[in-house]
Amino acid sequence: MAGRFAPRSARAALPHQAAAPALRTAAPSHHAPSLRAPEPPQDGPPLRGPEPSQDGPPLTREWTPPGPLDLRLVLGPLRRGPADPTFRMVADGTFWRATRTPEGPGTLRVAARGDRIAAAAWGPGADWLLAGLPALLGADDDPDAFVPRHRLLALTRHRRPGLRLLRTGLVMESLIPSILEQKVTTDEAYRAWRHLVRRFGTPAPGPTADLGLHVMPDPRGWAMIPSWEWHRANVDAKRSSTILRAVRVARRLEEAATMNLPEALTRLELIPGIGPWTSAETLQRSNGAPDAVTVGDLHLPGIVGHALADHRDADDEEMLTLLTPYEGQRHRATRLILLSGHTPKRRSPRMTPGDITHL
């Protein structure tokens, strides 16, 4: 579930992180945010700079959020494990994201600079990434639409004023790892994601070699992965077949990013193997959907039941009943519950990871 990404205490930089380039600071902007390319002549109209290349200078942008913004909370759901090849956070609080946009591969670097957000982007998708920066960081989200009905949620919202729901506008980049997470432990899914992206993706544009960032394959790249590589990644036939069905209609699935929640859920769930759990996990990220509550999760109903009714054995039906006062904001409510830390103590062994690689 997206809400499992609670902020972690800062850790010392890993060797490959220590050499990460410093963020180029752009001049402060007191008006509308703008894309920054090479400076135009002083007496002429703005000129569009050359498309940033693998080794060329980035395009940059500064944006002032409308309120408190915690980058760790906002961007955390994009991270698929501690060594996600598409996402990094370095020790100075800078976030790096490699993705495949409608314009092509792109790398985005984001950092807080006082009350502003400074961003830089490389690759064919740089313009697209910078244009979507406000939406990515929750500009379209309305935290004030959430009215807490429980003391726990009221206190958590007060303590986490920087929580906003991100919106990537990209479906496949969230759908594929969500499919990999079906019915397995998160560690298994993270390992599969790392293996497949590093093996079949492409190095991310920009100065990312020290970070080891990669862009995931395009739909054709996913479709061309041999069956034995899925096996080597410990991905069973059911999940790999679902991914292959999805990438065949990737363009139609990407259209869900502009749909309202019921239509988007329906569009994704037309694909055999994609159910309510997977579609909700995807649309929480791609659409910033505040009501995309995750049903079918192994742990979430018990966590919500424990937090709101002291019932750790709640099922999906009881969870949805408890969340009824938050209709329209149920995903935000579950994120706040998870961020509160008020979760039941474990009383059974962790799920045993499976391994098909030796078969």
Side-chain angles (χ1 to χ4, degrees):
M1 70 204 85
R4 67 178 172 268
F5 293 94
R8 302 187 180 195
S9 57
R11 295 181 296 179
L14 298 174
H16 71 275
Q17 295 171 333
L23 181 64
R24 192 177 77 180
T25 304
S29 172
H30 300 289
H31 303 288
S34 60
L35 301 182
R36 297 177 183 267
E39 291 295 330
Q42 294 296 322
D43 57 351
L47 299 177
R48 172 170 168 76
E51 184 178 90
S53 67
Q54 190 86 359
D55 301 314
L59 296 181
T60 61
R61 176 178 185 172
E62 280 197 349
W63 175 67
T64 302
L69 184 69
D70 187 327
L71 289 177
R72 296 168 70 92
L73 291 179
V74 175
L75 295 176
L78 296 179
R79 175 178 175 266
R80 305 286 182 164
D84 184 348
T86 68
F87 187 91
R88 288 286 188 278
M89 189 194 80
V90 295
D92 65 356
T94 300
F95 292 80
W96 293 75
R97 176 179 179 237
T99 190
R100 187 171 294 279
T101 77
E103 306 300 326
T107 300
L108 179 68
R109 184 177 62 186
V110 182
R113 296 288 182 260
D115 62 349
R116 292 188 295 274
I117 302 298
W122 293 260
D127 268 326
W128 193 93
L129 287 169
L130 291 180
L133 179 70
L136 176 69
L137 299 182
D140 300 331
D141 185 33
D142 182 14
D144 293 335
F146 180 80
V147 179
R149 306 292 185 182
H150 296 81
R151 176 178 172 80
L152 177 69
L153 272 64
L155 288 174
T156 305
R157 188 177 72 160
H158 177 73
R159 292 167 180 166
R160 307 287 192 183
L163 173 64
R164 304 184 78 91
L165 302 183
L166 62 84
R167 181 181 183 276
T168 66
L170 299 169
V171 171
M172 296 305 293
E173 74 159 17
S174 294
L175 177 61
I176 291 175
S178 294
I179 294 171
L180 291 174
E181 292 177 7
Q182 293 176 350
K183 306 296 183 181
V184 297
T185 66
T186 53
D187 286 343
E188 290 175 84
Y190 293 158
R191 283 196 299 271
W193 176 246
R194 289 196 299 267
H195 174 84
L196 294 168
V197 172
R198 287 172 179 165
R199 181 118 170 83
F200 299 100
T202 55
T208 63
D210 291 335
L211 296 171
L213 287 179
H214 282 67
V215 176
M216 77 172 194
D218 61 12
R220 185 175 185 276
W222 286 110
M224 295 296 290
I225 296 176
S227 59
W228 59 85
E229 289 291 350
W230 292 106
H231 190 85
R232 185 176 296 173
N234 201 29
V235 179
D236 57 50
K238 182 177 180 180
R239 288 179 292 152
S240 62
S241 297
T242 300
I243 291 173
L244 293 177
R245 285 191 290 267
V247 298
R248 292 190 190 107
V249 291
R251 183 180 62 82
R252 298 301 306 277
L253 294 182
E254 289 290 357
E255 293 172 359
T258 61
M259 297 177 177
N260 61 38
L261 181 60
E263 292 175 346
L265 291 168
T266 299
R267 175 66 62 89
L268 267 59
E269 291 171 24
L270 287 173
I271 306 301
I274 297 177
W277 185 92
T278 306
S279 59
E281 287 286 305
T282 301
L283 296 174
Q284 289 164 5
R285 298 165 171 87
S286 63
N287 294 33
D291 200 44
V293 60
T294 302
V295 295
D297 192 83
L298 181 62
H299 304 292
L300 187 60
I303 293 172
V304 172
H306 175 74
L308 302 186
D310 196 25
H311 183 204
R312 61 177 298 159
D313 296 316
D315 56 13
D316 277 333
E317 183 178 357
E318 182 170 351
M319 176 182 73
L320 293 176
T321 299
L322 291 170
L323 292 174
T324 299
Y326 302 107
E327 195 82 33
Q329 295 284 320
R330 291 176 296 178
H331 169 50
R332 192 191 311 275
T334 60
R335 283 215 64 189
L336 288 170
I337 289 171
L338 288 159
L339 289 170
S340 74
H342 191 72
T343 57
K345 293 182 179 179
R346 185 179 300 277
R347 64 184 181 189
S348 61
R350 292 179 179 272
M351 180 178 173
T352 302
D355 186 1
I356 66 171
T357 58
H358 65 284
L359 298 177

